[in-house]
């Protein structure tokens, strides 16, 4: 299957502006996560940044446009001789909040490929032990694509974290009769709506019977 994706086994040593790495950590790859990863990939491409999905045992054909590697992010960092201090882990328990100047301090931003859980189980801890510098995006857990979006806004658009506009727990109309309240906050787009992965409203509609927390 790896042969279907020419970028499987990608390395970390040919970075563009910044490289965004998501280390997939869940046992399965849920439809929800596919949409999140696709979204991170297309937003990074539009921002002239690189997106690499690591830690997958085999290439995912649905993500053919996303660079993927079976290696873990720390193996890639050491094989590319990237100094650890140039790598930032986005971590709800990080040592300080992310700031615009972190865009110059770090080349690589690492995120846990973990679906949100309530209450949060701090699975980002598995990445914390790798010794990268940690940065917070506020106290509340964000979805992985929101975390990547906010990081780009802060380190590339140079907007301080406190000025990033959010919509808290938006209510999404999934059918004529039904709406679902999302259990997270989302960046507010130029159209005034919460930015979510393309296809997510349809997915919510398909799974409306399950309840949102069963999906995350
Ligand atoms: N419940 C998860 C946990 O226990 O760690 C949170 C997972 S969150 C959905 C996925 C990833 O987004 C995290 O691993 C982290 O890299 C990033 N992230 C989410 N919220 C964050 C925050 N407030 N500060 C820093 N990073 C965050």
């Amino acid at each position: 299957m790896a042969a279907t994706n020419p970028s499987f086994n990608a390395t970390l040593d040919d970075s563009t502006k910044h490289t965004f790495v998501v280390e997939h950590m869940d046992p399965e790859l849920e439809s929800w996560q596919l949409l999140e990863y696709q979204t991170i990939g297309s937003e990074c491409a539009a921002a002239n940044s690189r997106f690499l999905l690591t830690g997958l045992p085999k290439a995912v054909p649905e993500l053919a446009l996303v660079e993927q590697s079976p290696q873990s992010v720390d193996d890639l960092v050491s094989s590319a001789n990237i100094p650890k201090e140039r790598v930032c882990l986005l971590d709800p328990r990080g040592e300080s909040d992310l700031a615009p100047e972190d865009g110059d301090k770090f080349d690589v931003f690492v995120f846990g490929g973990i679906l949100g859980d309530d209450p949060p189980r701090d699975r980002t801890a598995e990445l914390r032990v790798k010794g990268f510098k940690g940065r917070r995006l506020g106290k509340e857990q964000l979805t992985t694509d929101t975390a990547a979006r906010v990081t780009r806004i802060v380190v590339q658009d140079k907007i301080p974290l406190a000025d990033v506009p959010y919509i808290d727990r938006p209510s999404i109309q999934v059918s004529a009769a039904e709406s679902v309240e999302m259990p997270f906050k989302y960046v507010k787009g130029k159209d005034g709506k919460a930015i979510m992965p393309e296809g997510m409203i349809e997915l919510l509609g398909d799974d409306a019977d399950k309840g949102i927390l069963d999906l995350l």
Side-chain angles (χ1 to χ4, degrees), residues 90-92 111-112 114 117 122-124 137-138 140-142 144:
L90 281 301
D91 179 359
F111 304 81
I114 307 164
D117 39 24
D122 188 28
R123 285 186 297 149
T124 309
L137 300 167
E140 230 178 286
Q141 72 169 331
L142 306 171
T144 310

Side-chain angles (χ1 to χ4, degrees), residues 6-191:
S7 59
F8 196 62
N9 276 327
T11 61
L12 250 186
D13 44 14
D14 60 343
S15 313
T16 47
K17 183 154 65 178
H18 291 121
T19 298
F20 290 72
V21 176
V22 171
E23 176 106 330
H24 182 73
M25 293 165 73
D26 280 330
E28 305 289 333
L29 182 61
E30 308 289 344
S31 332
W32 190 285
Q33 278 168 314
L34 276 176
L35 297 183
E36 290 193 356
Y37 296 164
Q38 258 153 359
T39 299
I40 298 171
S42 53
E43 290 183 0
C44 281
N48 191 27
S49 299
R50 196 170 162 208
F51 173 46
L52 182 57
L53 186 57
T54 60
L56 286 161
K58 54 185 184 176
V60 180
E62 293 93 327
L63 293 173
L65 297 178
V66 169
E67 281 187 90
Q68 303 172 43
S69 171
Q71 281 184 286
S72 68
V73 63
D74 43 329
D75 287 345
L76 286 170
V77 164
S78 52
S79 58
N81 286 323
I82 295 174
K84 264 196 176 173
E85 59 272 18
R86 301 289 304 170
V87 182
C88 172
L89 171 65
L90 281 301
D91 179 359
R93 300 192 187 185
E95 58 207 51
S96 58
D97 278 340
L98 188 72
E101 53 271 25
D102 287 326
D104 302 319
K105 290 187 188 151
F106 300 112
D107 302 312
V108 181
F109 293 93
V110 180
F111 304 81
I114 307 164
L115 285 174
D117 39 24
D118 187 23
R121 280 182 287 158
D122 188 28
R123 285 186 297 149
T124 309
E126 290 172 43
L127 293 172
R128 195 175 303 134
V129 295
K130 297 178 189 286
F132 306 130
K133 293 259 183 249
R135 291 288 187 267
R136 293 182 304 259
L137 300 167
K139 289 188 185 139
E140 230 178 286
Q141 72 169 331
L142 306 171
T143 63
T144 310
D145 64 301
T146 302
R149 186 171 302 116
V150 173
T151 299
R152 258 196 343 271
I153 292 172
V154 174
V155 302
Q156 296 186 349
D157 302 343
K158 305 288 184 198
I159 295 177
L161 188 61
D163 295 343
V164 176
Y166 288 104
I167 297 187
D168 199 19
R169 293 172 172 68
S171 195
I172 304 295
Q173 197 76 33
V174 294
S175 69
E178 198 166 1
S179 63
V180 172
E181 182 181 283
M182 305 302 292
F184 301 106
K185 63 178 186 181
Y186 295 85
V187 175
K188 186 179 188 175
K190 290 201 173 90
D191 60 0

